[in-house]
Amino acid sequence: SGLVSLLVFVLALEAQALTPSHYLVASDVDRLQAVLSQPFTDLKSAYFSVVGLSKLGVSVADSNDACSFIKANVDSSSIEALFYAAEASQAISSCEIHVSNETRDSLHAAVSEDSTVSQIHQAVSALSSLGLPLASQEVVSALKARISKEDNVVAITLALQTASRLSQQAELGEILEEIEDLAARLDDLGGVYLQFEEGLEATALFVSAAYALSDHVDMEPPLKEDQVIQLVNSIFSKKSWDSLSEAFSVASAAAALSNNRFHKPVVVSAVGPATVSHSHPLLQLHVTDVLCQPLSSANVLVESATSVASKAAILSQTPFTLRDGIFELNFMASKPASGYYQFSVAVTGDSRLVANHVELKVKVSTKVAINNMDLSVVDKDQSIGTKTTRVEYPNKGKASFIADSHQNFAMTFQLVDETTGVELTPHQTFVRLHNQKTGQEVVFVAEPDSKNLYKFELDTAERKTEFDSISGTYALYLMVGDATLENPVLWNVADVVLKFPDEEAPSTVQSKNLYVPKPEIQHLFREPEKRPPTVLSNTFTALVLSPFLLLLILWFKLGANISNFSFSPSSVLFHVGHAAMLGLMYVYWTHLNMFQTLKYLAIIGSLTFLAGNRMLAQKAVKRYSLHHL
Amino acid sequence: MSSSVISVISRFLEEYNSSTSTKLKVVDAYLLYILLTGALQFLYCLLVGTFPFNSFLSGFISCVGSFILAVCLRIQINPQNKAEFLSTSPERAFADFLFAHTVLHLVAINFVG
């Protein structure tokens, strides 16, 4: 039992494994190809186009033209140009570039600790593509020296790419470890994406370089399955590319992920909506690699298919059959009831497959049939026998049904699956009563009982508020709908004449009209405060100013005078300044704001202060000399 | 009872007139003026209500502030208090009085609206 629980635990873990949420579909691959097929503008764009297309498994449109273009535009003095030319010409069959000995020597010279990683990469790739010999150990030591100096993502990726072109006998171990270090620098975004902050191109180029090197040394890259899927999500989330180099990097990564020795991510998606019905009994799946090519050699199996509602297992270990690149399964052959089913699909046949367990939700649709639609008018006190009329879909009941306050109108019916006859309980079963004269409509819900028999009863006395007590002929409709029904129903079953007890509602009442203009709201402006009469205010103004008069009189009586006024410049200036300050106060009250006032006050105040200081000092001297005579 | 009050008051006034210097009496007259102005403002507010309240407050507090500053000036220039204000000359007291009034007027005008 310990083994069983361990197995269950492992299966549970597997069930939570990540599957790609972003991937290229056929139209995206076509768009990528179109971007890479643009006419060349220069040698660099020729390189991206030719090599990019070769990664997608497509050859460039006119290979002779391309070859001559490359030969014409190569500049033998530039390492970069040689790199583009060499790589592009190798991708085109029967296109060879010949280089002189000097050029070869300059390429060898570029492999040193003094060149950048980019230059070393270009030189080594050019030498390799041109079929020229190179000293792998020298390259390795130059790369190791440069990696420690240029510790950025792009440089290390180029170093990985370079190492994949070297001899397998060289010591590539240390460079191989850089894959793990670089993978640690990837940012995990929400558990869905894994990418470098340098962007999509850096991430895509890293993926192609890592797998190129891993394949070359035949050692599995240190990337977990979930990380591989997160990288897939990051790289293929963008479906239109800003530049040729970005498109090239995506094509490189796609080629690397669809064809390396260790990891092959699987993309499983339904063809169209994942829905089956009697008219479309086949569940069709696209099972492809990241370049949208079907995995024809794989075995696709339904491990289990369980009903979401009843949790009953319908299928177990059932294989899909491959037809024209699409995997098919006739699900309707198992006679599933309508509803949703959880499918657990496994793709096997290759040990490299990643994310090969997928969960899918499949909908089974059906057509509904309405059986035994019985309409009756039941007397409340049961004194008169019930008269039941049966109506067949899609006909309308011939006679109208009359119900007044002494009677109830009742309706019963059954909803069944058209093909299997199983009883259904759709989400929407409504009974709609529509008064043709007034346009009023009232909708009720019909509920099924324990035996799945639908019942609807209308008590005119109870329901008169919904109808606004408007008597008249109402057309009765049955509305049936559900996500799993292919044929939603709107059926005019019969006409019902309803008679309500009190006709208090006036005939002019329409259905509550929301859209007539409402009564105008008069805005009440804020009433100004009550002011005292002007006479009172003026009186008090005079009163408040009168003590000043009293003050002058008192001062006169005391004998206060200005006979001692000195008329010195500082004294005059002080008094003028002081008067100006008081005047400023008045101007502040009427015109200015605090900032302007403070500005003027500072000017006038400092003048007044200086003058006043002088004046008071003179006064103090005078007083002192007077007292000390 | 009332006669004693009257006699106290008259005695007080006599003493005041004789012992207070003219300079101080000038300041006292000013104090009386401020007091009356403030009282009349308050009376108006009682009669008519507090609208607009900020204007009333500005005027009233200006009176109160001026009264307090004038009292400070009176204390500082009174020669009988010279012992307590050794470092403050009357001129310095007057300069402080003017500066404080500048600030008071600035605030009062800001608030009167």
Side-chain angles (χ1 to χ4, degrees), chain A residues 255-442:
Chain A
L257 285 168
S258 60
N259 193 17
N260 67 75
R261 286 195 208 159
F262 304 100
H263 301 142
K264 189 159 180 166
V266 172
V267 177
V268 178
S269 59
V271 177
T275 308
V276 294
S277 62
H278 286 286
S279 45
H280 299 99
L282 295 173
L283 178 65
Q284 293 178 317
L285 295 182
H286 283 303
V287 179
T288 65
D289 60 16
V290 292
L291 271 177
C292 217
Q293 281 152 357
L295 299 177
S296 315
S297 56
N299 300 320
V300 183
L301 193 70
V302 179
E303 284 182 330
S304 70
T306 53
S307 157
V308 169
S310 66
K311 309 267 186 278
I314 309 288
L315 290 180
S316 178
Q317 307 296 329
T318 316
F320 279 75
T321 46
L322 175 62
R323 192 167 67 93
D324 284 341
I326 295 181
F327 287 86
E328 295 180 337
L329 173 71
N330 188 337
F331 188 39
M332 290 310 285
S334 327
K335 305 216 185 311
S338 67
Y340 288 93
Y341 293 85
Q342 190 71 12
F343 271 58
S344 196
V345 177
V347 182
T348 52
D350 190 333
S351 56
R352 301 174 297 163
L353 296 178
V354 175
N356 53 344
H357 289 270
V358 183
E359 299 281 313
L360 266 185
K361 206 161 185 187
V362 178
K363 179 167 85 168
V364 175
S365 300
T366 185
K367 289 202 159 106
V368 70
I370 308 173
N371 289 348
N372 307 335
M373 169 65 81
D374 290 329
L375 304 170
S376 51
V377 176
V378 183
D379 211 69
K380 271 196 199 164
D381 47 9
Q382 315 260 310
S383 56
I384 309 173
T386 315
K387 199 170 54 109
T388 310
T389 316
R390 171 153 297 189
V391 187
E392 292 291 332
Y393 179 75
N395 307 320
K396 183 168 164 177
K398 288 189 217 41
S400 300
F401 294 83
I402 305 176
D404 62 20
S405 55
H406 302 293
Q407 292 146 340
N408 288 347
F409 173 78
M411 195 163 94
T412 61
F413 54 95
Q414 267 186 319
L415 297 173
V416 296
D417 186 322
E418 205 178 59
T419 339
T420 62
V422 172
E423 285 142 3
L424 295 176
T425 50
H427 285 157
Q428 299 170 328
T429 40
F430 301 134
V431 176
R432 170 178 177 245
L433 289 141
H434 181 228
N435 185 329
Q436 272 128 354
K437 245 192 299 202
T438 64
Q440 191 194 20
E441 69 173 20
V442 186

Side-chain angles (χ1 to χ4, degrees), chain A residues 556-578:
Chain A
F556 181 69
K557 276 190 76 182
L558 284 169
N561 53 42
I562 53 171
S563 54
N564 228 3
F565 193 64
S566 54
F567 281 108
S568 65
S570 49
S571 170
V572 169
L573 193 60
F574 165 75
H575 281 101
V576 164
H578 190 222

Side-chain angles (χ1 to χ4, degrees), chain A residues 531-532 543 555 588-589 623, chain B residues 26 40 48 51 91 110 112-113:
Chain A
R531 290 286 185 87
L543 267 179
W555 275 354
Y588 175 28
W589 183 37
R623 181 176 56 84
Chain B
V26 165
L40 282 169
V48 194
F51 182 76
E91 285 75 26
N110 185 33
V112 79

Side-chain angles (χ1 to χ4, degrees), chain B residues 37-85:
Chain B
T37 312
L40 282 169
Q41 285 185 7
F42 190 68
L43 178 66
Y44 178 76
C45 175
L46 281 180
L47 279 179
V48 194
T50 57
F51 182 76
F53 197 47
N54 60 309
S55 308
F56 161 68
L57 276 182
S58 166
F60 191 68
I61 287 175
S62 172
C63 288
V64 170
S66 303
F67 190 86
I68 293 168
L69 289 173
V71 167
C72 290
L73 180 68
R74 191 188 190 281
I75 292 175
Q76 287 181 327
I77 64 175
N78 195 347
Q80 292 170 334
N81 292 338
K82 205 164 170 147
E84 307 204 7
F85 294 104

